[in-house]
Amino acid sequence: VIFSSRRRLGLGSSPPTCRSKCGRCSPCKPVHVAIHPGMATPLEYYPEAWRCQCKNKLYMP
Amino acid sequence: MSIKASLRNVANVLLDWDDLHNQDFCSWRGVFCDNSSFSVLSLNLSNLNLGGEISPAIGDLRNLLSVELSDNLLNGDIPFSISKLKQLEFLNLKNNQLTGPIPSTLTQIPNLKTLNLSNLNLGGEISPAIGDLRNLLSVELSDNLLNGDIPFSISKLKQLEFLNLKNNQLTGPIPSTLTQIPNLKTLDLARNQLMGDIPRLLYWNEVLQYLGLRGNALTGTLSPDMCQLTGLWYFDVRGNNLIGTIPDSIGNCTSFEILDISYNQITGEIPFNIGFLQVATLSLQGNRLTGRIPEVIGLMQALAVLDLSENQLVGPIPPILGNLSYTGKLYLHGNKLTGPIPPELGNMSKLSYLQLNDNKLIGQIPAELGKLEQLFELNLANNELEGPIPSNISSCTALNQFNVHGNRLNGSIPLGFRNLESLTYLNLSGNCLDGPVPAEFVNLRSIQIIDMSFNNLSGSIPPEIGQLQNIVSLILNNNNLCGEIPEQLTNCFSLATLNVSYNNLSGIVPPMRNFSRFSADSFIGNPLLCGNWLGSICGPYMPK
């Protein structure tokens, strides 16, 4: 069973480890990804979330 | 063929749709037939630059399961005859220029599972009859001109998993009955004109993953039981009229990846329990939050974006924020923060945006900020900072914008600034800087705006500035600059704004090229400067 570091309870947080999150692809590394909430004006930045990236593909942490 | 007749721009892409091959329509581009009956099951003509209208003849293809005409240039109304497609499960017309209402007959297609009419020019209301399409899994009507209320009957869509109505003109409340849709995973109602409270029932839903409500006129408070949405990762109520405090129970929202409650009227302090969140984005800006920045935020290493700007926060910037070594954007501007800038912020090695402007910060700019190799924008304007600009800042070679306007900085401009080749915006105005304008600025190849007004700069304007080919604004007024205006400045073809007023410049204003754009206001207050304006020691020139 793989425990995600994201779900540990307690104060504070850390980025996902991305261990075994990209299937057979490696290396699998955590990256910031902008989540596009529709038409944002130029003054707004997109909210960001963590995803696991291997080559050009993104995977859920 | 009548479908083709109503389309335009078909010459090339629908070449094989011709009368000669009329019996062989199953081989036509985008047409897919049943193997035995040869009836048309699917029509896929997306992204082919097709213009014209959708022919009412489409209703004659009674066995169609799937129609995909997305990403074209289709106009006109969606034909009413589409309701004759009783087998249709999949209808995707997104990204066209279709107008008119959503056809009322659409609700007579009992098997419809996916309906995507986003980014068209559809007007009118969403018919309450939409509740009759009991098999719908996904409804996307975003980016249209739809108005009226969201019909309560939408809650009859018990299979619905995806509902996207953002970017319309919908009014009225969010139907409280929405929570009766048991499997709804995504609800995006952003950028409408919805009013009233966020229905509390919504929070009972355990399958909801995405809640987008930004840019409406919602009122009421954040419900303490919002964290009962245990599957929710995206919570966005930015830009509404929510009041009240951030509930203490916020720490239970451990599934949230994005928490955006910015630009509401939230009051009270940031609760300590926020430290239990696992969020990557914490956006609380543009509210009325008071009290101090909780130290516990420094433990939230998963933060990619921390925005607490434009509130009424007081006290110091906790040095422990320097622990946020994965954070790319830190915005604390527009508060009432006091004390010094913690040198520990130099440990935030992933930082690209640091905005601490418009506070009451004191002390010196820590040299440690020079460790921020990825820093793109540094804004420390309108504080009470003093001392010199540390030359270490020149190690921030990714720096694009640097603003220290309106402080009490002194000393001379560090020569190291010549290393900042990516810099486009440099604002040192409104300080007590002295010494010369460095000739080394010639290395700032990308620079567009230089503002060094209202300082004590002396010496002459270096002719090398004339080599800056991207410069749009050069603002040097209210200093002690002397000597002549270098003629080389007339080589800056992009220069649109020049202000060298109120210095001690002398000689003649170059009467050529880009300088013909500049009015006397650019030059006044230099008693020894000769130019073409009233009151100048040699002007104005008299027309001959």
Side-chain angles (χ1 to χ4, degrees):
Chain A
V1 181
I2 299 152
F3 291 98
S4 167
S5 66
R6 297 187 57 76
R7 292 291 168 265
R8 73 188 170 127
L9 295 175
L11 278 175
S13 60
S14 35
T17 60
C18 286
R19 204 173 296 134
S20 330
K21 294 295 180 184
C22 300
R24 286 178 199 164
C25 187
S26 75
C28 185
K29 294 192 166 164
V31 290
H32 296 168
V33 175
I35 308 292
H36 296 230
M39 288 196 311
T41 66
L43 288 174
E44 296 178 24
Y45 53 81
Y46 296 116
E48 292 176 17
W50 288 100
R51 295 290 179 264
C52 298
Q53 184 176 36
C54 183
K55 303 203 167 87
N56 289 327
K57 277 192 132 184
L58 294 174
Y59 301 84
M60 291 302 286
Chain B
M1 286 309 291
S2 55
I3 292 176
K4 178 178 177 179
S6 75
L7 297 170
R8 275 186 286 109
N9 199 22
V10 292
N12 290 323
V13 293
L14 297 187
L15 203 59
D16 58 357
W17 286 41
D18 62 24
D19 287 316
L20 282 176
H21 299 95
N22 218 350
Q23 298 309 308
D24 194 21
F25 54 82
C26 288
S27 67
W28 290 357
R29 181 174 194 165
V31 175
F32 302 92
C33 295
D34 185 274
N35 279 339
S36 49
S37 70
F38 300 108
S39 58
V40 181
L41 295 182
S42 158
L43 190 59
N44 183 349
L45 300 174
S46 58
N47 204 6
L48 294 174
N49 252 345
L50 296 174
E53 303 195 358
I54 302 173
S55 165
I58 197 168
D60 299 334
L61 300 171
R62 299 290 170 97
N63 296 305
L64 273 175
L65 294 173
S66 167
V67 172
E68 191 154 11
L69 303 174
S70 57
D71 303 287
N72 284 297
L73 304 164
L74 300 170
N75 53 41
D77 288 12
I78 302 170
F80 278 91
S81 64
I82 207 149
S83 63
K84 292 195 234 164
L85 305 176
K86 297 298 180 199
Q87 308 300 318
L88 197 65
E89 295 180 2
F90 185 94
L91 178 60
N92 183 357
L93 307 178
K94 75 175 160 79
N95 299 336
N96 278 290
Q97 294 157 14
L98 298 165
T99 51
I102 300 171
S104 56
T105 54
L106 200 65
T107 56
Q108 297 163 17
I109 308 176
N111 293 324
L112 203 58
K113 291 193 171 88
T114 298
L115 175 63
N116 191 338
L117 304 178
S118 60
N119 198 19
L120 307 171
N121 289 309
L122 301 178
E125 302 194 358
I126 302 173
S127 162
I130 195 169
D132 298 340
L133 294 171
R134 300 295 172 88
N135 292 307
L136 276 173
L137 293 171
S138 171
V139 174
E140 287 193 72
L141 304 175
S142 63
D143 302 287
N144 281 293
L145 305 164
L146 300 172
N147 52 46
D149 289 10
I150 301 172
F152 273 75
S153 62
I154 214 158
S155 60
K156 289 197 278 182
L157 304 176
K158 299 298 183 201
Q159 308 295 319
L160 199 63
E161 295 182 2
F162 193 97
L163 179 59
N164 179 356
L165 306 178
K166 75 184 170 201
N167 291 330
N168 279 290
Q169 296 158 14
L170 299 168
T171 51
I174 300 174
S176 56
T177 51
L178 270 184
T179 51
Q180 296 167 12
I181 304 176
N183 295 313
L184 195 63
K185 292 189 172 74
T186 295
L187 176 60
D188 198 341
L189 306 177
R191 293 181 203 287
N192 280 287
Q193 294 152 27
L194 301 170
M195 299 182 300
D197 291 5
I198 303 170
R200 281 193 69 188
L201 289 171
L202 214 56
Y203 300 140
W204 291 0
N205 198 329
E206 292 184 351
V207 292
L208 195 68
Q209 295 172 6
Y210 184 108
L211 180 62
L213 301 177
R214 73 162 56 189
N216 281 288
L218 300 169
T219 51
T221 59
L222 292 167
S223 166
D225 45 6
M226 61 193 276
C227 299
Q228 290 181 23
L229 289 166
T230 51
L232 196 68
W233 66 270
Y234 185 95
F235 183 91
D236 180 5
V237 294
R238 177 191 181 103
N240 282 284
N241 297 317
L242 302 177
I243 57 167
T245 58
I246 302 173
D248 266 338
S249 60
I250 192 81
N252 296 331
C253 293
T254 49
S255 65
F256 286 15
E257 291 181 47
I258 287 161
L259 175 60
D260 191 338
I261 60 174
S262 60
Y263 300 104
N264 282 283
Q265 290 135 45
I266 306 287
T267 50
E269 300 195 1
I270 302 173
F272 173 83
N273 284 349
I274 207 135
F276 289 101
L277 292 182
Q278 311 280 310
V279 288
T281 297
L282 181 59
S283 286
L284 307 180
Q285 72 271 26
N287 281 290
R288 297 170 188 172
L289 296 168
T290 51
R292 292 165 169 249
I293 300 174
E295 303 240 342
V296 70
I297 289 182
L299 302 177
M300 300 170 71
Q301 294 239 337
L303 279 175
V305 179
L306 174 59
D307 196 338
L308 307 179
S309 64
E310 296 175 60
N311 279 290
Q312 296 159 26
L313 300 171
V314 297
I317 299 173
I320 194 175
L321 291 192
N323 280 9
L324 298 175
S325 45
Y326 303 98
T327 303
K329 295 172 182 171
L330 176 59
Y331 303 105
L332 304 177
H333 56 276
N335 281 290
K336 299 172 182 171
L337 300 172
T338 51
I341 300 173
E344 288 84 352
L345 297 190
N347 300 331
M348 302 179 71
S349 56
K350 291 282 176 357
L351 207 58
S352 53
Y353 291 83
L354 178 58
Q355 297 193 5
L356 307 177
N357 49 293
D358 297 279
N359 280 293
K360 298 174 176 176
L361 301 171
I362 58 165
Q364 301 202 4
I365 300 174
E368 286 80 355
L369 295 188
K371 293 190 284 182
L372 301 174
E373 289 178 3
Q374 297 185 28
L375 198 61
F376 183 84
E377 181 175 355
L378 177 60
N379 193 340
L380 306 176
N382 297 317
N383 281 290
E384 294 161 24
L385 301 169
E386 50 195 21
I389 300 171
S391 58
N392 304 43
I393 294 293
S394 58
S395 309
C396 303
T397 48
L399 208 55
N400 186 278
Q401 301 191 38
F402 181 80
N403 188 351
V404 290
H405 162 83
N407 283 285
R408 297 173 197 155
L409 300 170
N410 54 34
S412 56
I413 299 169
L415 293 185
F417 266 49
R418 65 183 161 203
N419 299 335
L420 302 177
E421 291 181 6
S422 305
L423 206 62
T424 64
Y425 178 85
L426 176 65
N427 192 340
L428 309 177
S429 64
N431 282 288
C432 312
L433 299 169
D434 53 28
V437 176
E440 287 80 357
F441 272 23
V442 67
N443 287 358
L444 303 180
R445 282 183 228 142
S446 315
I447 199 81
Q448 293 171 13
I449 297 175
I450 294 179
D451 188 346
M452 300 195 281
S453 60
F454 294 96
N455 279 291
N456 300 320
L457 299 173
S458 55
S460 55
I461 301 172
E464 288 84 351
I465 299 276
Q467 295 176 40
L468 299 174
Q469 286 306 302
N470 294 307
I471 193 156
V472 177
S473 263
L474 180 62
I475 320 279
L476 301 172
N477 56 289
N478 295 81
N479 281 290
N480 296 320
L481 299 171
C482 60
E484 299 192 4
I485 297 175
E487 204 173 289
Q488 286 87 340
L489 285 189
T490 63
N491 296 331
C492 300
F493 293 113
S494 52
L495 191 63
T497 307
L498 175 75
N499 194 343
V500 293
S501 63
Y502 300 99
N503 280 288
N504 292 316
L505 298 168
S506 55
I508 300 172
V509 174
M512 56 221 256
R513 280 181 264 185
N514 57 359
F515 269 59
S516 58
R517 296 176 201 156
F518 306 132
S519 72
D521 290 343
S522 297
F523 306 105
I524 54 168
N526 290 285
L528 301 176
L529 191 60
C530 172
N532 185 15
W533 63 83
L534 202 66
S536 160
I537 52 167
C538 60
Y541 300 145
M542 290 300 162
K544 289 178 181 168

